Amino acid sequence: MDDATASPCLSDAVPVDMPWPTACTRRMPSRERRCFLLLQGPHGPFFDQLGAMLRQGGCDVWRVGFNAGDAMFWRRKSRYIPFQGRAEEWPDRFTQIITETGATDLVLYGDVRPIHATAIARAKARGLTIHVFEEGYMRPYWVTYERNGSNGHSRLMRTQITEMRAALAQSDEEAPLPPAHWGDMREHIFYGALYHWFVMALNGSYRNFKPHRDLSVFREFLLYLRTILTMPAMWILRVAATFRIHRGGYPYHVALLQLEHDPSVQRHSPFGSMNAFIETVVDGFARGAPAHHHLVFKAHPLEDGRINQRRAIKRAARACGIADRVHYLRGGKLAALLDSAHGAVTINSTAGQQVLWRGLPLKIFGRAVYGKPELVSAQPLANFFAHPDPPDMSAYRDYRRYLLETSQRPGGFYSARGRRQLLRDVVDLMLRAEDPYDALVGEPGTTARHLTLVGGARVSVAKS
């Protein structure tokens, strides 16, 4: 069935910048033909390629764009719906778009930005299937695919380790080994800069667009550009700081910093800012840690300097009289840092998974999918720094295996190689009736299970 047959009232000649029709006589799709409506995705071409793969699978696919960046990364302009209205007009316009397109499925990246949260609520009321993509809970080389919500809204938040073990009892597969590389950080930064340049330079027809973050688009673009230009200098400083820490010979704990604008921090944590987290951690360390221990703050790999974390750390350390025992590391490989650490604290960073994988004690402050009593410490912060409780490694192995057999998919959003890997697997999951967690407990169907890495390539088998 071609597009003209599927959508007799919508012309393939509709240009991107024309207002979308206010009414349409298109009939609802048949039960055999699903219609996927995509909202905002990761920076770059992933959603465009995902839409193409869904069309090859016999589905109708539409994309709603909110700015020039969304438009530039979507090639099929006849299936692009520009939203150029004000924010208060979005809820009713979204409901109208569902009716006009006959959408059966909603696809988005992240579930808490306002336009997505509103769309999810309306879509659920209309009975649509909700597909949510996120950065991988088990980074570095996996991404997250879930139904209905992610992070603090994930089904994992309500699933106990005992339930995971019961589901795994029906599977005889082994968890895959972790890849030895990060994946696509350079591409992530590049596409972020390019996206914000499009929004800054070409957004004339989207004058009502407002970013979901506090900074202006121009400021976001400058931060991405500065990150790209200063990469060589940051690498030198990072290597020098890492060398000093490893050569210091002192026991140390790691504090995992996050991006202040990260939705997991904004919506699923008790802190209003990263500075507040820094002050809390330094105070707890000063009160509880042995006098010869040190504290290393590790910045997020995408930290762009919108807040001066180094200055905030120095100020907090001086106030507590431990300035010579507190260090800041901008970016770099987390694995080598954790290998010699005594434990770690974070709000709810996905990097906490790497801490647990090494069997290190972990203290968290926010809501996280790994925030299970068997895995994270419930000690007061000062007590944690004095004598941290380690995780139950048997429980963590089962937890990790459960995630890798359900919501964690091999691949990435930003590199060409990562997208190819992801698209081979995730489209089949999207077309299934049940979500990945139900599929594990014996629902009908077949899904690809990734097992291990052999010579850099992942070996998979199909499970019926």
Side-chain angles (χ1 to χ4, degrees):
M1 182 182 295
D2 58 24
D3 289 332
T5 304
S7 305
C9 66
L10 303 175
S11 171
D12 278 356
V14 177
V16 176
D17 57 355
M18 281 188 61
W20 189 251
T22 57
C24 181
T25 58
R26 181 186 183 278
R27 64 179 176 82
M28 290 289 286
S30 68
R31 296 181 67 180
E32 291 75 23
R33 185 174 178 87
R34 292 167 66 179
C35 179
F36 286 80
L37 181 64
L38 281 63
L39 300 188
Q40 289 193 300
H43 298 149
F46 172 68
F47 260 26
D48 181 73
Q49 295 176 1
L50 176 66
M53 187 73 74
L54 288 168
R55 285 193 299 272
Q56 292 177 26
C59 304
D60 204 3
V61 181
W62 296 88
R63 174 77 185 270
V64 180
F66 301 84
N67 57 53
D70 295 337
M72 294 301 293
F73 284 113
W74 186 259
R75 289 177 295 178
R76 197 173 181 83
K77 304 308 182 185
S78 63
R79 288 294 182 268
Y80 179 81
I81 306 172
F83 176 74
Q84 299 162 335
R86 298 184 300 274
E88 59 268 24
E89 299 172 339
W90 167 241
D92 290 340
R93 183 70 188 102
F94 176 72
T95 300
Q96 188 180 34
I97 290 171
I98 292 177
T99 302
E100 291 170 351
T101 60
T104 59
D105 296 74
L106 178 67
V107 186
L108 32 75
Y109 171 71
D111 63 351
V112 298
R113 64 183 68 179
I115 56 175
H116 286 180
T118 298
I120 288 173
R122 294 275 177 129
K124 286 181 178 179
R126 295 286 294 265
L128 274 67
T129 301
I130 315 297
H131 307 264
V132 182
F133 285 92
E134 249 300 358
E135 302 295 340
Y137 299 148
M138 305 293 293
R139 296 180 191 179
Y141 200 61
W142 286 279
V143 304
T144 299
Y145 166 73
E146 294 181 282
R147 303 278 176 92
N148 297 318
S150 62
N151 290 313
H153 299 142
S154 169
R155 179 168 163 177
L156 291 170
M157 299 297 297
R158 306 184 300 275
T159 307
Q160 303 305 314
I161 298 290
T162 52
E163 298 174 272
M164 297 179 184
R165 284 171 165 162
L168 290 170
Q170 304 182 49
S171 171
D172 58 0
E173 299 166 8
E174 296 182 1
L177 297 173
H181 54 84
W182 175 262
D184 46 16
M185 185 56 60
R186 286 189 292 270
E187 292 92 337
H188 191 162
I189 295 171
F190 169 77
Y191 281 122
L194 185 60
Y195 179 91
H196 285 92
W197 186 88
F198 287 144
V199 176
M200 182 179 65
L202 305 175
N203 226 41
S205 59
Y206 297 90
R207 299 187 184 278
N208 293 310
F209 170 73
K210 290 182 173 56
H212 63 281
R213 296 171 181 168
D214 294 334
L215 293 183
S216 68
V217 173
F218 178 69
R219 178 64 175 156
E220 289 268 8
F221 169 73
L222 289 181
L223 290 171
Y224 273 106
L225 182 61
R226 185 176 70 176
T227 299
I228 293 173
L229 295 178
T230 59
M231 272 184 170
M234 289 298 102
W235 180 84
I236 294 173
L237 293 174
R238 182 170 65 245
V239 169
T242 304
F243 178 79
R244 287 195 299 270
I245 291 169
H246 286 301
R247 292 282 292 181
Y250 42 72
Y252 63 84
H253 308 255
V254 176
L256 299 170
L257 295 172
Q258 296 171 245
L259 300 177
E260 187 159 301
H261 56 270
D262 185 342
S264 292
V265 174
Q266 294 179 337
R267 303 298 178 89
H268 304 304
S269 89
F271 296 106
S273 68
M274 198 55 54
N275 285 354
F277 170 70
I278 290 170
E279 292 168 1
T280 298
V281 171
V282 171
D283 176 72
F285 179 81
R287 290 186 292 109
H292 62 293
H293 283 211
H294 287 231
L295 176 64
V296 179
F297 281 92
K298 170 68 168 62
H300 189 280
L302 292 176
E303 176 56 46
D304 53 20
R306 66 185 62 196
I307 64 171
N308 195 324
Q309 294 180 342
R310 187 188 302 274
R311 181 185 304 163
I313 291 167
K314 286 184 177 180
R315 182 172 59 245
R318 283 196 301 267
C320 292
I322 55 170
D324 59 336
R325 296 166 55 202
V326 180
H327 314 271
Y328 176 71
L329 190 58
R330 176 80 179 268
K333 298 293 185 181
L334 179 60
L337 187 66
L338 288 178
D339 285 344
S340 300
H342 275 226
V345 296
T346 186
I347 297 177
N348 51 16
S349 172
T350 55
Q353 305 270 7
Q354 295 193 45
V355 179
L356 295 171
W357 183 73
R358 288 167 172 78
L360 296 175
L362 178 64
K363 171 75 176 176
I364 68 172
F365 293 87
R367 287 166 50 81
V369 294
Y370 55 81
K372 311 298 182 187
E374 298 92 339
L375 306 182
V376 299
S377 173
Q379 297 169 280
L381 186 57
N383 293 356
F384 176 82
F385 280 123
H387 300 287
D389 292 335
D392 178 342
M393 288 308 292
S394 175
Y396 178 70
R397 284 190 290 271
D398 290 334
Y399 165 86
R400 181 178 180 275
R401 181 184 163 204
Y402 181 80
L403 263 64
L404 291 174
E405 291 200 31
T406 54
S407 62
Q408 303 305 288
R409 316 316 303 177
F413 296 127
Y414 306 103
S415 70
R417 179 186 62 180
R419 291 193 299 272
R420 288 194 298 268
Q421 180 75 23
L422 180 57
L423 289 169
R424 292 187 187 107
D425 176 46
V426 78
V427 173
D428 286 344
L429 298 182
M430 296 175 72
L431 295 177
R432 291 173 63 98
E434 64 278 357
D435 77 8
Y437 302 114
D438 289 332
L440 182 63
V441 295
E443 296 291 334
T446 301
T447 185
R449 301 299 191 197
H450 39 280
L451 294 181
T452 189
L453 291 174
V454 179
R458 186 171 300 282
V459 180
S460 301
V461 297
K463 179 181 179 181
S464 299

